[in-house]
Amino acid sequence: MPRVQKSTALYDHPFSRAYWRDAAAELKDTRMLVITALLVALRIALKPFAIPVGPQMYIQTPMLATALGAMIFGPVMAIPAAIVSDTVGFIIHPTGEYFLPFVLTEIASTVIYALCLYRSKATPTRVMLARFFICSAVNVVLQQLIYAWYYLFIGNPESAVDSIMGIMTVSRIFKNLFFFPIETVILTLFLKVLLPVTNRMKLTYCPDADMRFTKKQIAALICLVVIGAGSAVGYLTYRYNGTSRSADYSTEQRIEANMAMTDVVLTHTAQWDEETVICIVDSAYRPLFGQETDYTVSVYTLDGEAFAAGQQADGKYTLETLWSYSKSGPKKDKYGSLVKVATAELVKNEKTGEILEFSCKPE
């Protein structure tokens, strides 16, 4: 029986029956299934890695494997590839709690890359379109809607409303404006290097693809970089002036900050026994380019009987558990080991460690 010749047609757009017929045919190609498995494995392996470009701002490296894979295997194969990548990636590199609908962001991103790059003459314009739709539709809108869904699922409607209201916040728009041109350039250069390889392997069919930026595209990217840089400064200023630094504390940083604030409170007051006082940082506001942090600290005393009962009921319930609490921690403590007695407000020079202002108001 003669072997069926695989189509190598290129399409100007994905709105044709032949395009989707070729995309669906990839599911029956054993070689393509193996290639897809390798690309999904690469995508999973890259999940823990990111390129830092600023405080709390990273370019996710799995983007490269996602775009390359979508360009090779198309929008139909993109769906199972994204599901496997997201699920297995979470099992190997867990972050937070698993919520199945988050896989929709992975599916959407992969399908968008495929619609722009699969069976087409690859150009920087197509890469720009892919990144634009992902930054705007997926990162700004879809992701926030899924967060709202998650908060409703866990019974937190207030956070769900905040998530929906935050879809078009200045900070999210600024952040994606900053990343869009940078990711476009990185992705274009990456595909430019690999396209000759994928063409020789007959995984893609555009040997005459021109991945060079035109003068107009360069001018557009320069404008976007300027806008993005301004947006990044605006985003960071907005974030650091309007968001508590304590929200980004790791467990170790929170323990260290709570202990440090306890020492400050005990140094400036003489109302409580130091062995029974535990302070929790409620908020820590510091301007982007400033050295002074405004702290709000809740002062608690330890209820020895409640704490002992908690230790007896749970072997992992220790003083370190209490020291690691954030603002909401004491309220969620089912043993009630901490009793709030005061609220302290202070200003600290982070460079010198000097306490510039201090006040403590009893409950």
Side-chain angles (χ1 to χ4, degrees):
M1 183 176 180
R3 182 180 177 182
V4 177
Q5 184 68 32
K6 183 176 180 179
S7 169
T8 59
L10 298 181
Y11 302 92
D12 293 330
H13 55 76
F15 307 109
S16 70
R17 184 177 298 178
Y19 173 92
W20 289 99
R21 184 175 60 244
D22 286 346
E26 304 290 8
L27 291 169
K28 303 176 182 179
D29 187 334
T30 304
R31 179 170 177 262
M32 186 56 70
L33 290 173
V34 173
I35 294 294
T36 301
L38 292 174
L39 288 167
V40 168
L42 176 62
R43 189 163 156 183
I44 294 170
L46 290 174
K47 281 185 180 291
F49 303 103
I51 303 171
V53 293
Q56 302 297 318
M57 300 178 76
Y58 304 90
I59 292 176
Q60 301 299 324
T61 54
M63 164 190 74
L64 304 175
T66 301
L68 178 63
M71 182 177 68
I72 291 172
F73 52 64
V76 176
M77 187 83 83
I79 297 174
I83 293 172
V84 172
S85 171
D86 186 72
T87 305
V88 177
F90 180 83
I91 294 172
I92 298 176
H93 310 293
T95 53
E97 295 184 15
Y98 182 73
F99 185 58
L100 180 60
F102 275 118
V103 75
L104 295 175
T105 61
E106 195 103 356
I107 292 172
S109 297
T110 313
V111 169
I112 288 171
Y113 278 129
L115 293 175
C116 292
L117 300 173
Y118 175 70
R119 292 297 183 93
S120 66
K121 185 176 180 179
T123 63
T125 300
R126 288 182 173 272
V127 177
M128 290 175 68
L129 282 173
R131 285 310 310 164
F132 172 78
F133 286 119
I134 290 171
C135 286
S136 58
V138 179
N139 296 350
V140 173
V141 180
L142 180 60
Q143 194 172 65
Q144 285 296 97
L145 290 175
I146 296 175
Y147 269 115
W149 187 357
Y150 168 73
Y151 289 130
L152 286 174
F153 178 76
I154 63 174
N156 190 346
E158 294 83 4
S159 294
V161 173
D162 290 342
S163 185
I164 293 174
M165 296 299 293
I167 287 177
M168 297 305 292
T169 56
V170 172
S171 61
R172 292 188 66 81
I173 295 172
F174 276 0
K175 186 175 181 180
N176 282 280
L177 272 175
F178 171 70
F179 279 122
F180 170 58
I182 298 175
E183 290 172 336
T184 296
V185 172
I186 291 175
L187 190 53
T188 300
L189 295 176
F190 174 75
L191 294 178
K192 180 179 180 180
V193 170
L194 288 183
L195 262 174
V197 178
T198 58
N199 285 330
R200 284 196 299 270
M201 295 177 66
K202 299 190 183 304
L203 298 174
T204 54
Y205 311 99
C206 48
D208 57 342
D210 187 1
M211 294 296 282
R212 293 174 298 178
F213 289 101
T214 65
K215 291 181 179 179
K216 289 183 179 180
Q217 290 168 337
I218 292 173
L221 284 171
I222 290 174
C223 290
L224 288 170
V225 167
V226 172
I227 294 172
S231 298
V233 173
Y235 165 74
L236 290 172
T237 302
Y238 175 90
R239 177 180 175 81
Y240 282 106
N241 290 352
T243 305
S244 171
R245 297 284 182 103
S246 61
D248 295 325
Y249 286 167
S250 64
T251 300
E252 293 75 15
Q253 289 173 325
R254 189 169 297 284
I255 292 172
E256 182 180 353
N258 289 341
M259 287 184 169
M261 289 300 107
T262 301
D263 289 340
V264 171
V265 169
L266 291 172
T267 300
H268 288 77
T269 61
Q271 302 178 41
W272 306 286
D273 181 356
E274 65 177 286
E275 294 183 359
T276 65
V277 173
I278 291 179
C279 293
I280 305 297
V281 176
D282 291 343
S283 64
Y285 290 97
R286 177 182 170 189
L288 178 60
F289 300 109
Q291 296 292 337
E292 297 176 3
T293 304
D294 295 330
Y295 287 94
T296 300
V297 178
S298 289
V299 183
Y300 297 88
T301 56
L302 182 67
D303 184 328
E305 292 184 4
F307 179 64
Q311 285 187 305
Q312 188 173 2
D314 183 356
K316 296 181 180 180
Y317 187 73
T318 64
L319 279 175
E320 187 171 291
T321 304
L322 305 181
W323 283 117
S324 67
Y325 280 158
S326 61
K327 178 180 180 179
S328 60
K331 296 179 182 178
K332 296 179 180 179
D333 189 322
K334 60 183 178 181
Y335 304 110
S337 297
L338 295 179
V339 179
K340 188 171 182 179
V341 293
T343 299
E345 294 186 353
L346 59 104
V347 178
K348 179 182 178 182
N349 186 309
E350 299 296 345
K351 187 174 182 179
T352 64
E354 180 184 2
I355 304 301
L356 305 177
E357 298 177 23
F358 181 88
S359 66
C360 189
K361 181 180 179 182
E363 286 293 298

